[in-house]
Every structure is written in C-alpha cells, then in structure tokens.
Amino acid sequence: MRPRLPSPLHELRDPRLTALGLRLALKRDDLIHPEVPGNKWRKLKYNLTAARERGQRTLLTFGGAYSNHLRATAAAGHALGLATVGVVRGEELAGRPLNPSLAFAVEHGMRLVFVDRATYRAKHTPQVLDRLLAVHGPAYLLPEGGSNEAAVRGCAELPAELGDDFDVVCVAVGTGGTLAGIAAGLPPGRRAIGFAVLKGGFLAAEVAELQRRTRGAPTDNWHVEHDFHHGGYARRGPELDTFLADFAARHDFAPEPIYVGKMLFGLFALAERGAFTPGTRLIAVITG
C-alpha cells in the first residue's frame, strides 16, 4: 500500500477554542499508512533509502516495550524484504508474554533482543554496538525512535503540506526528531511547540543537537513544553483520562494517550492560560 501524502488536514471546531478566538486543525499523519503511520513514515523514509543504497539487508534499532518505532521498523522491513532486529529495554520482559506492540513486531519478522537497563543506557557506545553487530551481523543502525539526521530531513517536509493558513504547529516529543525537522522546515514567521512525553526536561537539548548535526545550528522558531508528561513515558492519570474521554465524545476521535493525547492536553491547557493571542491559527500533528 502506497503512503497517503500529503496527509489530511482537518479543521477541528471546539467551542473552548472558538471562545478564545483560536482555530485548530489536525494534521492527520496517523493516516499516512496503516502499518507505518505518522512521523514514523517520515522518519524512516530517508533512512530506508540510505540502508538500501549502502547494500544493508538488516535494520537494527532500539525501543521500549511499547515502542511505535519498533512496530513501524518491523513493518517497513517486512515490506522491503529487510531483516529487522529490535533491542528492547528491560531483560525481565524476555520471559513474559509479548504485548500487542512487540507481538506485531515479531509477526512482521523482527528478532527481539531484551537487554538490561544499564546496557540499554549505553546503547550508543562502541562496546554495546560492536557486541550487537558481532551477534547479528552487519546492519544499518537506527537510533531509538529513529531520530537522526535522515529523520530530521524527512520530517522537515511536513510544513510544505500545510499551506499558508497557520501560525503555530504543535507536536509531541519523545526523541526530538519530529520537532527538529518540522521547525527546520517552517517558513518565516511560523513557530513550533513540542510537548515532552518524558519527564526530566532534557528533550529541548536533544532537539537542538539534532538540528545542530543536521543544519549546523539550531533554529530559533521552536520550544519544548515540559509540564504535560503526566508522570513520564506511557504514564497517565485521571486528569488526562478525563480530557481524552471528553475529547473523544466531542469530536468522535480518540487520540492515542502516550504521545498525541498529552500533546492535545497541553495545547488546550496553554490556550486556557492565554498563551495564544486571539486569531492564532494552530495545527496539531497527529503522529500516530
């Protein structure tokens, strides 16, 4: 199945925003492809091209137990006839039943390797990488979340699909590649806001470093909101659940809670605080 590009842009009419003089549209990147949706398609696009140009027949990458990136890499590799290896954080998971995300990856041919958290934290070091390649053979290495220079290049293509009728683009941030790319591709006078889904306050530095590696220096048209992670990755509480249930009832659309739900929660919270001047035209990227 070919990707659906440009992805649809749907106006969202919500009286809470209308009363504040704001407009919001959803950029439905989740509809790009049923198995490689959203920012995953954009982030993998040039990485997959590079792997094939280099003659690599295996993709080796990293993720947590519920990683959408592992799912997408497995599906993309399966479609292109490439072997895939997924290094999963948490060796204790090896003896447990696979959750739906990991089961999907295995069904699409991915070999899972469970490692302890100390090893996972050192996944970028030569010692860990050399050991993995010694076991699994030559491979094209994809970082956690797929965020590298090639991913930034792919995500930088998104703003060209938006036209001129917008002021601010909002997106969830897990590893930084999507925000780094979107901000790099924005026309003058527009801004991007990233909503961190992990606690720790480190993601702004990750975005800046990705832009530095890709462009030579960070752009000045973005920032990261660090206050809407709801406890950390894949964590949630009653406040977020209530918001998502209400959003689904209002708009007949249920955002996934790990990334998109937190971004939308943060966007509405900022709007209620008066962070956007009346007349601001917002776009929320639905990444998966």
Side-chain angles (χ1 to χ4, degrees):
M1 179 177 177
R2 296 181 62 83
R4 184 182 183 182
L5 290 170
S7 59
L9 190 62
H10 294 161
E11 190 82 16
L12 187 86
R13 302 189 183 279
D14 192 297
R16 295 169 293 181
L17 299 179
T18 303
L20 297 169
L22 306 176
R23 289 169 49 196
L24 173 63
L26 305 183
K27 178 63 169 166
R28 294 295 304 272
D29 266 19
D30 57 315
L31 301 178
I32 287 178
H33 192 281
E35 294 186 338
V36 191
N39 61 340
K40 304 310 177 189
W41 175 274
R42 298 185 190 275
K43 292 166 85 172
L44 286 171
K45 175 181 176 181
Y46 291 113
N47 276 298
L48 293 171
T49 299
R52 299 179 80 178
E53 288 176 347
R54 298 175 190 179
Q56 296 288 0
R57 303 302 303 166
T58 300
L59 307 173
L60 190 150
T61 194
F62 306 84
Y66 293 92
S67 170
N68 289 329
H69 169 67
L70 291 181
R71 288 177 56 113
T73 301
H78 184 264
L80 295 175
L82 299 173
T84 55
V85 178
V87 181
V88 184
R89 180 180 61 247
E91 63 181 347
E92 73 279 1
L93 300 173
R96 299 178 185 175
L98 298 178
N99 65 43
S101 294
L102 296 181
F104 177 95
V106 170
E107 289 165 5
H108 287 74
M110 178 171 276
R111 180 179 180 183
L112 300 180
V113 180
F114 297 92
V115 300
D116 62 83
R117 282 163 169 73
T119 299
Y120 193 86
R121 285 193 296 271
K123 60 186 176 294
H124 60 286
T125 63
Q127 295 89 337
V128 172
L129 293 176
D130 289 348
R131 191 159 65 243
L132 289 168
L133 294 175
V135 173
H136 302 288
Y140 183 88
L141 297 175
L142 276 166
E144 183 178 34
S147 288
N148 58 10
E149 293 90 333
V152 172
R153 181 183 168 198
C155 293
E157 296 176 347
L158 185 150
E161 301 176 12
L162 301 178
D164 296 322
D165 192 23
F166 74 98
D167 301 298
V168 179
V169 178
C170 299
V171 66
V173 182
T175 53
T178 304
L179 176 59
I182 288 175
L186 286 175
R190 274 68 168 196
R191 293 191 58 79
I193 302 175
F195 293 83
V197 303
L198 301 97
K199 62 182 178 181
F202 61 90
L203 284 171
E206 297 288 326
V207 175
E209 177 59 23
L210 283 166
Q211 288 197 327
R212 192 173 293 111
R213 282 163 31 200
T214 306
R215 301 171 47 86
T219 59
D220 62 358
N221 59 352
W222 60 272
H223 76 275
V224 176
E225 293 285 341
H226 294 282
D227 296 333
F228 303 106
H229 54 71
H230 294 269
Y233 182 72
R235 295 182 180 244
R236 51 199 288 188
E239 191 177 23
L240 178 60
D241 288 341
T242 298
F243 170 82
L244 293 177
D246 177 70
F247 190 95
R250 288 173 183 263
H251 302 296
D252 194 30
F253 170 60
E256 63 83 21
I258 296 175
Y259 294 93
V260 174
K262 292 181 179 181
M263 178 268 296
L264 288 171
F265 180 98
L267 186 160
F268 274 79
L270 290 182
E272 291 169 4
R273 295 175 190 175
F276 306 115
T277 59
T280 299
R281 302 161 297 177
L282 299 156
I283 290 177
V285 181
I286 309 303
T287 49

